[in-house]
Amino acid sequence: MPHLPPIRNALTIDVEDYFQVSAFAPHIRRSEWDTRECRIERNMDRILALLEERSICATFFTLGWIAERYPTLVRRIVAGGHELASHGYGHERVSDLSPEAFFQDIHHAKTLLQDIAGVVVQGYRAPSFSIEPGNGWALDTLARAGYSYSSSIYPVAHDHYGTPDAPRFAHQIRAGLMEIPPTTVRLFQRNFPASGGGYFRFFPYALSRWMLRRVHEQDQSPAVFYFHPWEIDAEQPRVPGIGFKTHFRHYVNVDRMEQRLRRLLQDFHWGRMDHIFLPATAQEATDV
Ligand SMILES: [Zn+2]
């Protein structure tokens, strides 16, 4: 068999703090966000150092709310050679917004990030992968706001998100807009999440590694992996009264996450979303 070069996966980080996750929304009001202890800087310090140690560039889908309060952090992301992308402004699910409110949210976030960093923001990821069959208009809105790609449609069945029959790989979804879905493995006529988040913390590392290798071997495709800064933070303040399922999903194995990430970074080749998936001409247009 000819020796093929290794496939480079996209490493993506959704830059938000622990009190902003959608599962906590019924327990922590948006108006309380400013009163919570913010831990994004210390967690991002660890992530940026980890990537620098290994000379890995990644894509950071950054929340406008965070960027506004921590502009230095945004500039550090870009200075580290990483891709700056948008996670919207206020971490509202697309399914909770009108088309006009969604446009305001993604336009505001893009402008804010670009003004702080001086680079063009091309990518967007919806909070909780909340672009679903009922709100396909959001894709037109993303194209109108000047985004080149989205990574917002997760082709799995999950109680909080997912479109199980959506395409599993990067594709042109609107004129000028690509959808680059988080990675799944196809088994028994079903898609299984293989992309990170709570699944990566819950299942043994060897299973995650097997799934990513399977995507390389069976589908000859790069994988898209994601995690959040709060997932490596074992000391984050515990949110009381959240119920067993939410508690379990949020905190399971956060104390083991960094060690697992180190193995993952070592076992595969990694890069930025734009470098892996966008045509070379789009990659050159990076200065505002
Ligand atoms: Zn998020």
Side-chain angles (χ1 to χ4, degrees), residues 14 16 87 91 127-128 228:
D14 293 356
E16 68 197 36
H87 196 32
H91 211 262
S128 301
H228 305 86

Side-chain angles (χ1 to χ4, degrees), residues 114-126:
Q114 292 183 163
D115 286 351
I116 293 169
V119 295
V120 171
V121 166
Q122 303 192 89
Y124 169 77
R125 174 171 288 149

Side-chain angles (χ1 to χ4, degrees), residues 14-17 20-22 61 63 87 91 125-129 228 230:
D14 293 356
V15 183
E16 68 197 36
D17 219 330
Q20 297 173 314
V21 305
S22 299
F61 292 100
L63 213 55
H87 196 32
H91 211 262
R125 174 171 288 149
S128 301
F129 304 108
H228 305 86
W230 54 262

Side-chain angles (χ1 to χ4, degrees), residues 176-196:
L177 186 78
M178 272 180 97
E179 170 61 29
I180 309 172
T183 295
T184 53
V185 160
R186 185 87 181 155
L187 279 173
F188 318 116
Q189 276 91 53
R190 269 193 63 184
N191 297 340
F192 290 86
S195 188

